[in-house]
């Protein structure tokens, strides 16, 4: 796995961003983040500056900054690399966010499997407290008090969804809430809360340190900046990479030794499966978005195995709350297994495609809304492979 | 944010997970104030609604019907079934209208192609997991899932249909039967139990496709802290929850010529059963039902109100003894406040959750059980019937009564005091099976010797009713005057209503009367209550009971009460777990009106409205319970004891 030393993120000067932020007004800090055009690095791609601004605009005696380090998407491990290599950058970003929105408490929701990182992270937090980077009147800024603590995740993938994460923080079953209202309004303990991805906070530090224009010099108009990618699957050099947004899939494959791939799953289990014919497309919010997971499939792979795997994952990982997701994923999975056995009629396959489309718009949270993506894109893009499995009589 | 005043979520006291509660919307982010009007366009109709109103509420207000399953007016919002989806202009995904508070002008379409397709899919998905045949289901024709399948034209099982049962039916409880094969996981029962009732024995267990609605640790319902209130049954949209139904056994008894089958009917079923026959809620059917019961084959039809009156005498006497002991003799062995004991759901609740407070609970049995004991003793004696041949059936609005009559201690007559408890729904079923259309029945009276009851017995069915009945009697016994001198038409309005916890103070006048003969041996005079303030409380729904109990623990105003009425069910017995389905605040209010109208009718007809004026009750004390209220025999037959159970189950 790459050690990531040759990345931009590795060159960011420690706490320069925080110091720069504290020289400016809260509004200006939010303005810089907004100007940078950065969108959330956790997958949903919501503009970070807008989110901070919404939370900043709500009056409340208490606000929270939550770092989403649940990283449960299969094939994703870039947040773990950031947390172990540059935890300061993340805590710094959280501190900047706290200053910007007026929060005094930060929580890192850390994936259960990453417990081994806790000791190192706690040491890092203590050092920051000792150096006046956390605690009371941070860096001499009168009235700016902020501290961070770590909360261990409960092991469910859905707890990465921000409202389920908040439920879990409150000690409840990790189940997504109804929205609206959104966490920026009614979050942890009913207070305004921003939830951002680990990487989002790290880049926020970089942006405050180097400026919005520097960030915008990478990527495309609509997808600014650099981004980390976790590359896995049938490639010569799997690992975590930093690429500018807007990179084409084929360029990416060249860099990681994935030439000759049959398909690439972009965005993890909940993402889209792109066939070789579309490798000219770009990884960007305006084209194919991702939280960072890139899974490469070589020519030998059976796409039905791939989608079966994903759907098994969702069948287990759905929180089980809403009908389209709880039962829908099972129906899609059963359908894929019928296809594999040559027992799925064309008519039923069409019905399942419609069901997948319903799930995309009817499920309560992002999990159920995106769980059919892989199925739908494989049915669409690998028709030859699929049609061969439909019994002739049907 | 919610506009529901009665909903416990509104005052932030409920224990439902935050994800299933309406969230607060702060004003700042929405450039407006809560309560300010917002304009919404729903299916091309414009309507102004207060900010925070949900799309569902807004649509209903203009007559646009949106289907629902997990939504229930009494409960917090869940937003899980997704059947109520609508299209909101500008949003990629469909929105659950029950869970979408309106905070800005929006345009909504409720039945676009996308919406219809999604609803069909959701129903098809539910049916693909739903094992059950409508014609073998007690909810046939009154099932929300079935009605929606019809409304949305489900004509085949698009995603299949289970051919085998996957869940064992849980029949461990005397009261509630759980058939999870029919469960659609709307979680209304979960929210009912935890939020409306604050008992919390039901929860969602597991994740993904393994999610199930289960009891604590998936134990049989009979082994957990379920209080048998049946509120979950009344709010289940399907046949997954039902009461334990003894109609076959009751028919068998009727068919057996050697058995003398007697029925007692409580006031609430009489106010509710009309709903089972398609009539408007709140149409009393007392007299028609008497005829129907006789035609079904019951040998005698009695009025539970007789023992409601008896309860008032026994419980009222016990209260006077408690007050005298505590206030005059300084003996604290019988603590104040005294708690009522007629709601078996409440009794089991306190046994589980506040066992250390059982000493407060009146030892008087509930009217149902008193009646059972009287039938198999006095009634058998004066009619020369062998009690072994009597089958005693009780028509109750309540599922907890089924548990109560099976308590081992309820055999004081030497036999099982009550053999079967029937719910309103089950009796309606029997009446239908007998080919009878209840509303067409001629009217007829109750049978003697218990025939005449009083209006005080009738109002037992509504929250505050036991208290009002007790006060009517206590006031008259102490003052020697008519309640009407203090309260117009003897209506003690302050204790009525639907507010969850009520606290009322009544001034006892300086002028008291002589101690009536009935209780002369217990207190020498009334001097000790002259000018005193009588403090009473009323709570309905165990969530409210819990509030009162916590207040007492904390030494709040309820700890100063002398007497508190507790009913396990919201609204009192009229909202009981055996009443017709559905239940809503409006339906419960209509039933309450029927009950108070019956009480008022007693007054208009010149019949007694106070328990101590009931001639049959007075006769019983003359001929049978000769030592008077709380005497030796009445203690044996009409009083009981309780079991401290605790919350923890092995
Ligand atoms: C099922 C599901 C799982 C998610 N898991 C994660 C996760 O592990 N880490 C993460 O940062 N965001 C995850 N998200 C996205 C979060 O809900 C949220 O959008 C994100 O934390 C916001 O941060 P960002 O704007 O910085 O990306 C998940 C979303 C869904 C629907
Ligand atoms: S979409 Fe799936 S994970 Fe999300 S709320 Fe529904 S059941 Fe839970
Ligand atoms: S629960 Fe409803 S749909 Fe299911 S069998 Fe009973 S009546 Fe039919
Ligand atoms: S009967 Fe009452 S206590 Fe028992 S599960 Fe149902 S709601 Fe809960
Ligand atoms: S038992 Fe009834 S109320 Fe409870 S979740 Fe199932 S269908 Fe809903
Ligand atoms: S009724 Fe709205 S989601 Fe169930």
């Amino acid at each position: 796995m790459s050690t990531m030393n040759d990345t931009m993120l590795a060159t960011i000067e420690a706490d320069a961003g925080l110091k720069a932020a504290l020289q400016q007004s809260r509004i200006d800090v939010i303005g810089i983040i907004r100007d940078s055009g950065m969108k959330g690095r956790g997958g949903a791609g919501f503009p970070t500056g807008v989110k901070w601004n919404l939370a900043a605009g709500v009056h409340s005696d208490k606000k929270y900054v939550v770092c989403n380090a649940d990283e449960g998407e299969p094939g994703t491990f870039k947040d773990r690399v950031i947390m172990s290599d540059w935890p300061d950058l993340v805590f710094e970003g959280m501190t900047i966010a706290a200053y910007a929105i007026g929060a005094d408490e930060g929580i890192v929701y850390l994936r259960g499997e990453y417990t081994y990182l806790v000791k190192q992270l706690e040491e890092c937090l203590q050092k920051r407290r000792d150096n006046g980077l956390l605690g009371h009147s941070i860096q001499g800024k009168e009235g700016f008090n902020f501290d961070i603590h770590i909360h261990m995740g409960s092991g469910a993938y859905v707890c990465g969804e921000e409202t389920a994460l908040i439920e879990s923080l409150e000690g409840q079953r990790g189940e997504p809430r109804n929205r609206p209202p959104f966490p920026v309004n009614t979050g942890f303990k009913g207070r305004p809360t921003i939830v951002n991805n680990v990487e989002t906070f790290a880049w926020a530090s970089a942006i405050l340190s180097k400026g919005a224009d520097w960030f915008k010099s990478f990527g495309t108009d609509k997808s600014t900046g650099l981004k980390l990618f976790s590359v896995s699957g049938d490639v010569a050099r799997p690992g975590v990479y930093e690429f500018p947004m807007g990179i084409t899939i084929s360029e990416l494959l060249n860099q990681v030794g994935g030439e000759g791939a049959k398909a690439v799953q972009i965005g993890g289990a909940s993402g889209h499966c792109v066939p070789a014919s579309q490798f000219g497309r770009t990884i960007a919010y305006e084209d194919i978005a991702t939280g960072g997971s890139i899974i490469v499939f070589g020519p030998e792979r059976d796409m039905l195995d791939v989608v079966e795997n994903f759907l098994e994952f969702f069948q287990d990982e759905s929180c089980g709350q809403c009908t389209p997701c709880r039962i829908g994923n099972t129906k899609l999975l059963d359908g894929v297994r019928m296809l594999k056995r040559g027992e799925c009629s064309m008519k039923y396959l069409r019905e399942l495609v419609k069901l997948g489309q319903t799930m995309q718009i009817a499920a309560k949270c992002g999990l159920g809304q995106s769980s059919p993506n892989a199925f739908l894109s494989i049915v669409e893009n690998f028709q030859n492979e699929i049609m061969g499995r439909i019994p002739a009589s049907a | 944010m919610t506009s529901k005043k009665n909903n416990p979520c509104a005052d932030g006291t409920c224990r439902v997970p935050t994800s299933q509660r309406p969230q607060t919307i702060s004003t700042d982010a929405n450039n407006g104030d809560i309560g300010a009007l917002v304009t919404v366009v729903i299916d091309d109709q414009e309507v102004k609604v207060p900010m925070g109103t949900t799309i569902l509420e807004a649509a209903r207000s203009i007559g646009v019907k949106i289907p629902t399953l997990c939504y229930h007016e009494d409960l917090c919002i869940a937003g899980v079934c997704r059947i109520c989806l609508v299209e909101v202009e500008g949003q990629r995904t469909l929105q659950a209208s029950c869970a979408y508070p309106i905070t800005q002008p929006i345009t909504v379409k409720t039945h676009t192609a996308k919406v219809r397709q999604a609803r069909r899919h959701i129903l098809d998905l539910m049916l693909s997991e739903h094992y059950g045949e409508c014609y073998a289901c007690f909810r046939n024709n009154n099932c929300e899932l079935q009605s929606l399948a019809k409304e949305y034209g489900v004509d085949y099982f698009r995603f299949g249909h289970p051919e085998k049962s996957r869940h064992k039916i849980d029949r461990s409880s005397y009261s509630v039967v759980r058939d999870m094969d029919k469960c659609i996981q709307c979680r209304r029962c979960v929210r009912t139990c935890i939020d409306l009732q604050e008992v919390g024995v039901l929860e969602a267990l597991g994740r993904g496709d393994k999610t199930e609605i289960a009891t604590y640790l998936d134990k049989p319902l009979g082994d957990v802290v379920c209080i048998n209130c049946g509120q979950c049954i009344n709010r289940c949209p399907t046949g997954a929850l039902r009461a334990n139904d003894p109609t076959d056994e009751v028919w068998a008894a009727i068919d057996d010529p050697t058995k003398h089958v007697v029925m007692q009917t409580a006031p609430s079923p009489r106010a509710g059963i009309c709903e089972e026959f398609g009539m408007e809620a709140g149409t009393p059917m007392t007299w028609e039902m008497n005829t129907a019961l006789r035609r079904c084959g019951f040998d005698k039809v009695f009025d539970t109100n007789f023992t409601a009156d008896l309860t008032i005498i026994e419980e009222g006497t016990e209260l006077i003894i408690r007050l005298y002991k505590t206030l005059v003799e300084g003996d604290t062995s019988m603590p104040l406040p005294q708690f009522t004991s007629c709601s078996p759901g409440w009794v089991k609740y306190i046994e589980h959750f506040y066992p250390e407070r059982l000493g407060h609970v009146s030892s008087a049995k509930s009217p149902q059980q008193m009646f059972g004991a009287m039938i198999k003793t006095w009634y058998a004696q004066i009619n020369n019937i062998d009690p072994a041949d009597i089958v005693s059936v009780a028509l109750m609005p309540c599922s907890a009564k089924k548990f109560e009559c099976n308590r081992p201690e309820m055999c004081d007559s030497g036999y099982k005091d009550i053999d079967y408890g029937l719910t309103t729904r089950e009796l309606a079923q029997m009446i239908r099976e007998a080919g009878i259309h209840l509303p067409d029945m001629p009217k007829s009276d109750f049978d003697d010797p218990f025939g005449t009851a009083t209006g005080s017995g009738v109002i037992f069915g509504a929250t505050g009713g036991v208290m009002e009945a007790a006060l009517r009697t206590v006031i008259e016994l102490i003052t020697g005057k008519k309640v009407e001198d203090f309260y117009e038409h003897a209506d003690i309005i302050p204790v009525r209503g639907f507010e969850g916890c009520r606290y009322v103070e009544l001034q006892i006048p300086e002028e008291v009367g002589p101690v009536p003969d009935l209780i002369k041996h217990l207190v020498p005079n009334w001097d000790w209550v002259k000018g005193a303030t009588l403090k009473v409380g009323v709570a309905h729904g165990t969530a409210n009971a819990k509030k009162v109990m916590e207040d007492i623990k904390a030494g709040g105003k309820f700890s100063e009460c002398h007497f508190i009425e507790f009913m396990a069910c919201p609204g009192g017995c009229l909202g009981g777990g055996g009443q017709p389905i559905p239940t809503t605040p409006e339906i419960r209010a209509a039933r309450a009106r029927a009950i108070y109208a019956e009480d008022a009718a007693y007054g208009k007809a010149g019949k007694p409205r106070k328990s101590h004026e009931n001639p049959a009750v007075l006769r019983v004390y003359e001929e049978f319970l000769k030592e008077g209220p709380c005497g030796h025999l009445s203690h044996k037959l009409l009083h009981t004891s309780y079991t401290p159970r605790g919350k923890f189950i092995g």
Side-chain angles (χ1 to χ4, degrees), chain A residues 158 161 174-177 179 314 317-327 329 359 362-371, chain B residues 79-80 82 208:
Chain A
V158 70
E161 195 280 339
E175 286 185 348
R177 295 177 174 178
R179 281 157 307 165
F314 287 121
E317 292 297 329
S318 153
C319 80
Q321 192 182 177
C322 73
T323 318
C325 175
R326 182 183 68 248
I327 315 180
N329 282 308
M359 290 165 68
K364 181 166 175 175
C365 86
L367 190 150
Q369 288 165 9
S370 58
S371 62
Chain B
V80 296
R82 315 303 287 172

Side-chain angles (χ1 to χ4, degrees), chain B residues 20-186:
Chain B
Q20 302 194 356
R21 259 184 249 164
Q23 312 286 316
T24 41
I25 303 234
S26 87
T27 49
D28 309 65
N30 306 296
N31 1 301
D33 292 320
I34 302 269
L37 292 183
V38 199
T39 307
V40 220
V41 180
I42 302 177
D43 292 345
D44 301 324
Q45 289 189 65
E46 212 179 271
V47 58
K48 282 191 170 40
V49 294
M51 182 175 276
T53 308
T54 62
I55 295 178
L56 179 70
E57 291 164 334
R60 285 190 173 174
S61 74
I62 53 168
V64 170
K65 191 180 167 213
I66 298 175
T68 54
L69 276 171
C70 67
Y71 172 83
H72 192 284
E73 279 172 74
D74 290 331
L75 304 174
C76 294
I77 305 293
V80 296
C81 75
R82 315 303 287 172
I83 198 76
C84 69
L85 293 168
V86 295
E87 227 175 305
V88 176
E89 207 173 85
Q91 308 246 11
R92 179 184 71 82
T93 55
L94 302 177
Q95 303 296 324
S97 59
C98 71
Y100 193 107
I102 299 165
T103 55
Q104 54 192 31
I106 49 172
T107 300
V108 179
K109 297 251 192 256
T110 70
H111 52 80
T112 60
K114 268 190 204 169
V115 169
R116 293 195 317 269
Q117 165 109 298
R119 287 188 191 150
R120 273 296 284 277
H121 276 146
I122 287 164
L123 282 171
D124 281 321
L125 288 175
M126 284 176 177
L127 293 173
S128 79
E129 303 246 289
H130 181 82
Y131 176 79
E133 298 285 5
C134 296
Y135 32 76
C137 179
F138 99 104
R139 293 297 293 272
N140 193 1
N141 263 328
N142 183 17
C143 168
E144 294 179 41
L145 180 63
Q146 190 191 44
S147 323
L148 282 181
K150 181 165 155 54
E151 268 172 46
Y152 284 82
V154 172
D155 49 0
Y156 73 107
F157 298 120
R158 196 171 299 215
F159 303 117
H161 194 54
E163 276 157 19
K164 279 204 301 273
S165 158
R166 285 174 299 178
H167 301 269
K168 207 166 152 270
I169 295 182
D170 178 358
R171 299 181 193 275
S172 60
S173 157
Y174 281 114
S175 299
V176 183
V177 178
R178 298 172 66 242
D179 179 358
M180 289 301 104
D181 274 335
K182 292 177 182 154
C183 173
I184 56 167
Q185 303 208 9
C186 68

Side-chain angles (χ1 to χ4, degrees), chain B residues 464-481:
Chain B
V466 178
M467 184 55 72
E468 182 166 351
L471 291 175
R472 284 179 186 170
T473 289
V474 167
I475 290 173
E476 296 205 348
L477 292 186
I478 293 178
T479 63
K481 293 203 176 98

Side-chain angles (χ1 to χ4, degrees), chain A residues 38-203:
Chain A
M38 175 166 63
K39 292 184 174 160
R41 270 20 188 173
F46 192 81
T48 306
V50 174
K51 185 182 281 187
W52 292 14
N53 196 38
L54 286 171
V58 185
H59 287 296
S60 175
D61 54 340
K62 182 107 184 146
K63 295 182 190 177
Y64 297 93
V65 170
V66 175
C67 172
N68 188 342
D70 197 45
E71 197 161 56
E73 187 76 52
T76 321
F77 36 89
K78 49 121 188 153
D79 291 343
R80 183 189 66 205
V81 171
I82 299 174
M83 292 303 278
S84 61
D85 290 6
W86 308 292
D88 272 305
L89 221 45
V90 178
F91 298 144
E92 179 188 348
M94 289 176 72
T95 314
I96 294 169
Y99 174 66
I101 70 162
D104 66 358
E105 191 174 335
I107 305 163
V108 177
Y109 187 88
L110 189 66
R111 177 176 179 164
E113 284 84 342
Y114 297 172
T115 307
Y116 72 95
L117 284 173
V118 170
K119 188 164 169 282
Q120 176 197 343
L121 294 175
E122 291 288 7
E123 279 166 15
C124 178
L125 284 172
Q126 193 49 50
K127 220 164 59 213
R128 294 186 73 79
R129 281 177 206 121
D130 297 343
N131 293 338
L133 296 162
L134 283 177
H136 276 276
S137 301
I138 293 170
Q139 293 293 292
K141 188 90 186 173
E142 199 57 46
F144 176 41
N145 312 322
F146 180 67
D147 209 333
I148 298 175
H149 59 93
I150 297 172
H151 182 102
M152 292 314 298
S154 65
Y157 167 61
V158 70
C159 288
E161 195 280 339
E162 57 186 12
T163 60
L165 184 153
I166 291 172
E167 283 286 301
S168 171
L169 279 178
E170 289 181 359
Q172 317 270 15
R173 227 176 113 86
E175 286 185 348
R177 295 177 174 178
N178 291 305
R179 281 157 307 165
F182 295 89
V184 287
N185 211 300
T186 309
F188 182 50
K189 296 185 179 165
R191 300 313 208 312
T193 302
I194 55 163
V195 180
N196 277 118
N197 175 248
V198 169
E199 187 187 346
T200 309
F201 285 120
W203 286 117

